[in-house]
Amino acid sequence: MINTIIFDLGAVLIDWNPHYLYRTLFDSEEEMIHFLANIATSDWNEEQDAGRSLEEGTEMLVKRFPDHEANIRAFYGRWNEMLGGAFDDTVAILKKLKESGKYKVYALTNWSAETFPVALERFEFLSWFDAIVVSGTEKMRKPQPEFYQLLLSRYNVKPNEALFIDDNKRNILAAEQLGIRSIHYQSSEQLTTELQQLNIL
């Protein structure tokens, strides 16, 4: 019996994309994609999500790629320009789940502790969660099993009574290995269908 729903935030409820910023900084899409694939990579950003300070991450990268200093510094210096809006249709699903009163609703997010307050201020629906577990605060991140385990232990959640929703297949597989039923999020329509099939919506 599912009594707990655990949401990822980025790309599920919140639109975050470095392209929004870097399209304004590069002359061509090709240059932008090369920069994000080879210099300010998602692996590098995930280290800040896992607790490394923005300053340390930035200085380390500037040292390695001094010719790209201005664009590297822009990543966190203008980070709020990468933050789009909410995905309203998914937020509406969250609202239904919360208002049903049947479920505890948590968020488990890979997010820097230094930038997360910007999202908290911008998105009122983040206050609907019973709790949010932020990787940068906890110094661990998905798909590390201990990060999921932290949420389960802290809030007395049994894996077989929880449902996890994330857009990243890697994170889904990690949750399933812990015995947490999961939905690989692709769209609000697909999420609605799968929740209906589970008699949750």
Side-chain angles (χ1 to χ4, degrees):
M1 187 67 144
I2 303 289
N3 59 29
T4 302
I5 316 283
I6 304 166
F7 278 87
D8 173 40
L9 295 179
V12 174
L13 289 158
I14 294 171
D15 183 13
W16 176 84
N17 194 327
H19 290 192
Y20 297 148
L21 167 64
Y22 283 103
R23 280 201 179 106
T24 70
L25 300 180
F26 284 99
D27 294 331
S28 75
E29 193 88 355
E30 236 174 37
E31 284 179 299
M32 176 192 77
I33 287 165
H34 181 270
F35 175 79
L36 293 171
N38 298 284
I39 297 165
T41 65
S42 56
D43 286 348
W44 167 76
N45 179 53
E46 278 197 335
E47 290 304 315
Q48 282 69 260
D49 287 351
R52 182 168 65 190
S53 76
L54 305 189
E55 184 182 5
E56 187 186 341
T58 299
E59 296 311 324
M60 185 204 79
L61 212 58
V62 166
K63 200 172 174 182
R64 282 183 62 202
F65 302 102
D67 292 350
H68 295 273
E69 179 172 2
N71 287 328
I72 291 166
R73 293 197 184 282
F75 196 97
Y76 294 114
R78 295 174 62 178
W79 180 88
N80 62 335
E81 293 176 53
M82 301 182 197
L83 205 54
F87 291 118
D88 292 333
D89 290 347
T90 319
V91 173
I93 294 170
L94 168 65
K95 191 169 194 277
K96 272 187 199 169
L97 294 170
K98 181 70 179 170
E99 288 179 348
S100 76
K102 297 177 189 173
Y103 308 101
K104 287 282 189 182
V105 184
Y106 298 104
L108 186 72
T109 183
N110 283 1
W111 206 305
S112 161
E114 293 175 72
T115 57
F116 192 63
V118 178
L120 276 179
E121 198 173 300
R122 189 175 298 189
F123 301 109
E124 190 266 333
F125 68 83
L126 292 176
S127 67
W128 303 348
F129 286 101
D130 291 288
I132 301 175
V133 182
V134 179
S135 62
T137 305
E138 307 299 342
K139 307 285 195 283
M140 59 179 88
R141 62 173 174 80
K142 296 175 287 188
Q144 296 166 349
E146 57 267 32
F147 188 44
Y148 300 79
Q149 198 58 59
L150 177 76
L151 185 149
L152 298 176
S153 305
R154 186 177 288 171
Y155 302 108
N156 300 311
V157 177
K158 293 177 181 166
N160 64 342
E161 293 177 352
L163 176 72
F164 176 62
I165 300 161
D166 197 297
D167 67 298
N168 189 318
K169 187 69 175 171
R170 173 196 73 174
N171 298 340
I172 290 290
L173 293 172
E176 287 174 341
Q177 284 175 349
L178 292 169
I180 304 168
R181 186 191 286 259
S182 300
I183 293 176
H184 182 207
Y185 177 90
Q186 290 153 72
S187 69
S188 58
E189 293 80 12
Q190 166 256 351
L191 178 59
T192 298
T193 300
E194 295 205 34
L195 290 172
Q196 286 169 343
Q197 286 168 351
L198 292 169
N199 294 317
I200 288 171
L201 265 188

